[in-house]
């Protein structure tokens, strides 16, 4: 979870040598801790207030490799048409609102 005052929340994953990545899975906050309560009582909002909607992913050369501007799902699976070979992945998040910090629960990289 990012600091709310951070204007540019970023998670950087760096490896000692370049790896091959065919798929990334990102896990966002969509009320994992109260799933039945969410279903039974519903939210007054039309979307999950804690879920990161906008994020960008860069490789080790600072090239933008993926951008999402309308996320509303817990798990985002990004499959690259050609495997990405890089020694770094940088994920730049935007806070869902001025009162809610950006949260990314997990990142999984697959060859």
């Amino acid at each position: 979870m990012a600091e709310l005052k951070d204007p540019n929340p970023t998670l950087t994953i760096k490896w000692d040598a370049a790896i091959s990545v065919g798929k990334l899975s990102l896990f966002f906050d969509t009320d994992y801790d109260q799933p039945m309560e969410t279903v039974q009582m519903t939210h007054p909002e039309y979307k999950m207030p804690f879920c990161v909607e906008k994020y960008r992913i860069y490789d080790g050369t600072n090239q933008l490799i993926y951008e999402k501007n309308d996320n509303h799902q817990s798990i985002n699976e990004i499959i690259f048409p050609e495997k990405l070979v890089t020694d770094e992945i940088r994920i730049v998040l935007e806070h869902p609102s001025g009162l809610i910090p950006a949260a990314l629960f997990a990142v999984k990289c697959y060859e």
Side-chain angles (χ1 to χ4, degrees):
M1 183 173 292
E3 169 64 44
L4 187 57
K5 295 176 186 175
D6 185 347
N8 198 30
T10 303
L11 173 68
T12 302
I13 302 169
K14 188 155 179 64
W15 293 274
D16 292 333
I19 65 163
S20 179
V21 180
K23 179 173 93 169
L24 281 177
S25 294
L26 307 179
F27 296 78
F28 293 102
D29 183 1
T30 54
D31 208 11
Y32 286 107
D33 57 339
Q34 303 294 330
M36 287 306 295
E37 188 175 295
T38 297
V39 171
Q40 292 172 343
M41 297 177 202
T42 70
H43 280 285
E45 299 87 2
Y46 66 94
K47 58 186 176 182
M48 295 301 295
F50 299 104
C51 187
V52 169
E53 291 180 38
K54 297 179 181 182
Y55 65 90
R56 297 177 312 281
I57 302 174
Y58 297 89
D59 68 7
T61 64
N62 205 34
Q63 179 179 340
L64 179 67
I65 55 174
Y66 187 80
E67 183 171 20
K68 183 81 171 176
N69 290 309
D70 60 351
N71 179 49
H72 60 276
Q73 297 186 355
S74 302
I75 302 171
N76 282 212
E77 290 191 333
I78 302 151
I79 299 172
F80 299 107
E82 293 183 27
K83 289 192 177 187
L84 173 68
V85 178
T86 186
D87 66 342
E88 178 178 311
I89 291 175
R90 190 165 38 92
I91 304 167
V92 180
L93 309 167
E94 288 189 26
H95 297 295
S97 79
L99 302 174
I100 299 170
L104 179 59
F105 289 164
V107 178
K108 293 184 179 182
C109 299
Y110 303 89
E111 191 173 0

